[in-house]
């Protein structure tokens, strides 16, 4: 019997046996979301889980980052990353374990919190994978590095962990894996992209400055509200008129704030911009178009030289690029474990993930990022019939089908890690369903 057949026969019932433990963890994480950079309790719980599974755990790596290490003889080093942060969204799912937690955002405003991006699933899958790998540790050789990453939603966490010595204080990985829930896909399925998986991303603040004054005397002012309105419209021409239609890019002005009363012309207006791209050239083109348009519109409005707009970069992240060798190897593996009908090849997404930072270190470490189906099949069927989309991530109604999602995630991730480790031909597996962790 090939080791892989042996593994397939063992892994699914073993995960089923461990599911009550994982579901209890998932309920806790889901009911206790924490904002980006504040994942204190989540990180503590994750560290405790990984430690009790037998990993050597280091906490507070780049903020609340958790790094769990298990050395098991000679072989490759495989890293798996899960993100841990939640969002300022008021949960509307009515699940028995729905979040009622409130917190404060970076501006000090009180906000409702929810795991609306499914990072609670990712963290649970990481723990499930740890427990499975320890169950069959006599059958593989190598080093496993599992990380709980903070602040993915703000695009800062991966970079901070790297700066805090992720690749120098711990063994340098040969491959890095991650997954993300994908609600349009039924639970039980996975999907992957060959090449680019997620777009590159930049968030910018554009402060449009004018000269304020009385609303009844606009001729004595340089009105930044009108200038902001013009700038927003001009920015809509960047993608539609300047970027090659064969390229993929998107630019959104997501927030506009300025002024205090109807009869006061303010001094400035703040725009928050976000754009996505795949190619470096397109990134440069969009960035320089934003600078040119902001300045050009200000000049055209007669804004004084010393009141030109200020552009500040809040966050940037390159696209997630899947390594071709890992992609073909692991997508074939997924087809064998889950069945070909449960593995989909999908085009790149316009969403982003700061997971891409892990691939920037020279020499580049191969990455593989895949999508995990998370919705109830019946719900998807009904939504398709009614021609509506089922609630996706960042939506207050997002309610993943926990059991099939977590089980498929643990199965896919465990098998992927084992496939990349050095596995002996006679993989030693414990009795089916016997969980001793
Ligand atoms: Zn998200
Ligand atoms: Zn996410």
């Amino acid at each position: 019997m090939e080791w892989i057949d042996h593994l397939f026969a063992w892994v699914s019932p073993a995960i089923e046996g461990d599911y009550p433990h994982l579901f209890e963890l998932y309920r806790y994480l889901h009911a206790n979301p924490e904002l980006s950079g504040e994942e204190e309790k989540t990180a503590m719980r994750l560290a405790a889980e990984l430690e009790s599974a037998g990993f050597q755990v280091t906490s507070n790596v780049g903020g609340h980052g958790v790094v769990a290490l298990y050395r098991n003889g000679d072989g490759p080093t495989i890293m798996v990353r899960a993100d841990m942060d939640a969002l300022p969204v008021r949960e509307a799912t009515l699940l028995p374990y729905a979040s009622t937690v409130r917190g404060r955002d970076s501006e000090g405003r009180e906000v409702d919190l929810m795991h609306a991006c499914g990072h609670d699933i990712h963290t649970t899958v990481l723990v499930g994978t740890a427990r499975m790998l320890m169950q069959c540790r006599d059958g593989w050789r190598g080093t496993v590095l599992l990380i709980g990453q903070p602040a993915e939603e703000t695009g800062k966490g991966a970079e901070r962990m790297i700066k805090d010595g992720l690749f120098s204080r711990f063994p340098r990985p040969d491959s890095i894996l991650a997954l993300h829930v994908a609600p349009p896909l039924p639970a039980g399925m996975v999907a992957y992209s060959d090449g680019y998986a997620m777009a590159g991303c930049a968030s910018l603040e554009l402060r449009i400055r004018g000269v304020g004054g009385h609303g009844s005397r606009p001729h004595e002012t340089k009105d930044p509200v009108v200038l902001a309105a013009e700038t927003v419209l001009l920015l809509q021409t960047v993608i539609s008129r300047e970027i090659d239609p064969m390229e993929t890019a998107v630019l959104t002005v997501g927030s506009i704030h300025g002024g205090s009363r109807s009869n006061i012309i303010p001094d400035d207006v703040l725009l928050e911009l976000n754009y996505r791209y795949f190619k470096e050239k397109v990134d440069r083109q969009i960035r320089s178009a934003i600078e040119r348009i902001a300045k050009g519109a200000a000049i055209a409005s007669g804004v004084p030289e010393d009141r030109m707009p200020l552009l500040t970069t809040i966050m940037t992240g390159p696209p997630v690029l899947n390594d071709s060798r890992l992609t073909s190897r692991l997508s074939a593996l997924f087809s064998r474990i889950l069945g070909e009908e449960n593995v989909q090849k999908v085009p790149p997404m316009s969403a982003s993930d700061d997971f891409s930072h892990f691939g920037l270190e020279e020499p580049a470490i191969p990455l593989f990022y895949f999508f995990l189906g998370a919705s109830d099949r019946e719900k998807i069927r009904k939504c398709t019939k009614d021609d509506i989309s089922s609630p996706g991530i960042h939506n207050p109604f997002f309610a993943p089908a926990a059991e099939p999602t977590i089980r498929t995630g643990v199965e896919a991730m465990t098998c992927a890690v084992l496939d990349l480790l050095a596995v002996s031909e006679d993989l030693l597996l414990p009795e089916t369903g016997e969980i001793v962790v």
Side-chain angles (χ1 to χ4, degrees):
M1 195 189 215
E2 235 189 299
W3 76 266
I4 206 155
D5 296 320
H6 196 163
L7 170 68
F8 295 163
W10 171 78
V11 75
S12 184
I15 294 167
E16 192 177 338
D18 203 27
Y19 185 71
H21 178 93
L22 298 180
F23 184 58
E24 195 275 315
L25 169 65
Y26 173 65
R27 279 179 76 112
Y28 169 81
L29 295 172
H30 191 86
N32 293 282
E34 293 172 293
L35 280 176
S36 309
E38 294 174 14
E39 309 85 346
E40 195 180 344
K41 282 188 284 173
T42 309
M44 263 173 64
R45 177 71 190 257
L46 176 64
E49 289 283 342
L50 294 172
E51 212 160 69
S52 84
F55 280 73
Q56 182 194 332
V57 176
T58 307
S59 294
N60 302 319
V61 179
H64 292 298
V66 175
V67 179
L69 177 67
Y70 187 74
R71 294 177 200 267
N72 196 17
D74 288 342
T77 298
I78 308 302
M79 180 175 126
V80 181
R81 170 273 211 167
D83 38 14
M84 306 186 289
D85 51 334
L87 287 162
V89 171
R90 182 176 194 162
E91 181 156 0
T93 62
L94 302 178
L95 287 167
Y97 47 89
S99 161
T100 53
V101 170
R102 309 197 80 196
R104 289 200 181 272
D105 68 8
S106 53
E107 258 98 74
R109 288 177 298 226
E110 202 168 308
V111 286
D112 293 286
L113 305 183
M114 175 188 176
H115 263 296
C117 204
H119 297 185
D120 47 352
I121 294 267
H122 307 171
T123 305
T124 306
V125 167
L126 190 78
V127 170
T129 303
R131 291 164 66 88
M132 284 301 115
L133 291 171
M134 293 307 280
Q135 283 297 299
C136 61
R137 62 183 173 270
D138 291 339
W140 57 267
R141 293 288 169 261
T143 298
V144 173
L145 201 60
L146 305 177
I147 72 161
Q149 185 209 299
E152 186 283 324
E153 293 289 351
T154 50
K156 311 263 189 209
E159 226 177 342
R160 281 188 195 146
M161 288 190 81
I162 296 166
K163 279 201 181 122
D164 199 13
L166 178 65
F167 295 134
S168 54
R169 289 162 59 192
F170 306 95
R172 191 184 167 84
D174 296 298
S175 308
I176 307 180
L177 312 178
L179 54 73
H180 202 294
V181 291
L185 207 64
M189 289 184 72
V190 296
Y192 69 96
S193 303
D194 199 355
Y196 288 119
M198 302 278 255
C201 173
S203 284
L204 309 170
E205 263 182 17
L206 178 59
R207 188 168 292 280
I208 292 181
R209 303 188 295 171
V211 177
H214 199 289
S216 68
R217 302 185 64 76
H219 57 292
E220 292 170 355
T221 72
K222 296 293 172 200
D223 188 344
V225 173
V226 174
L227 178 52
E230 284 168 354
T231 307
V232 170
L233 290 178
L234 284 170
L235 288 172
Q236 305 310 310
T237 63
V238 176
I239 307 301
S240 67
R241 304 290 86 183
E242 296 194 33
I243 303 298
D244 182 339
M246 300 313 287
E247 302 291 352
T248 305
V250 58
L251 167 62
T252 294
V253 180
S255 113
I256 174 164
H257 287 101
S260 55
R261 289 183 65 171
S262 63
N263 62 354
I264 301 171
I265 294 171
D267 270 336
D268 55 20
V269 170
L270 185 68
L271 304 185
E272 289 181 82
L273 278 61
N274 181 277
Y275 70 87
R276 315 276 166 136
Y277 62 92
F278 287 96
K279 296 197 185 140
E280 242 181 276
K281 183 182 141 216
V282 175
D283 173 24
R284 281 197 306 273
Q285 240 183 316
I286 298 175
R287 173 80 194 213
S288 80
I290 293 170
E291 286 169 9
R292 192 192 69 240
I293 285 172
K295 194 169 174 198
I299 292 171
S301 298
V303 169
E305 187 59 36
D306 62 345
R307 298 289 291 160
M308 283 295 118
L310 301 175
L311 189 63
T312 314
T313 302
I314 303 301
M315 179 274 285
T316 58
V320 175
L321 181 62
N322 278 339
D323 175 75
S324 60
R325 196 186 51 85
L326 280 180
T327 305
S328 58
R329 180 169 176 164
L330 296 179
S331 58
L333 176 82
F334 291 160
S335 292
R336 286 190 67 181
I337 322 163
L338 304 171
E340 254 168 57
E341 68 286 3
N342 288 318
V343 180
Q344 246 183 39
K345 186 171 161 183
V346 291
M349 294 225 192
S350 62
S352 304
D353 193 310
D354 74 348
F355 178 66
S356 54
H357 285 275
F358 297 121
L360 289 183
E361 284 288 294
E362 285 300 333
I365 303 169
L367 306 180
F368 182 65
Y369 184 96
F370 64 97
F371 302 103
L372 178 65
S375 294
D376 184 71
R377 272 177 204 266
E378 208 33 57
K379 212 159 138 193
I380 292 185
R381 207 167 294 140
K382 194 170 177 314
C383 286
T384 316
K385 202 173 125 247
D386 299 346
D387 203 20
I388 48 170
S389 50
S390 61
I393 50 175
H394 292 213
N395 181 313
F397 292 94
F398 173 53
E403 180 163 358
T405 303
I406 292 168
R407 281 173 58 177
T408 308
V410 176
E411 192 170 352
M413 196 56 96
T414 303
C415 292
V417 174
L418 285 172
D419 192 41
L420 299 174
L421 287 164
V423 179
S424 60
E425 275 303 304
D426 53 342
L427 175 70
L428 295 172
L429 296 170
E431 287 296 302
T432 299
E434 183 199 342
I435 301 297
V436 294
V437 172

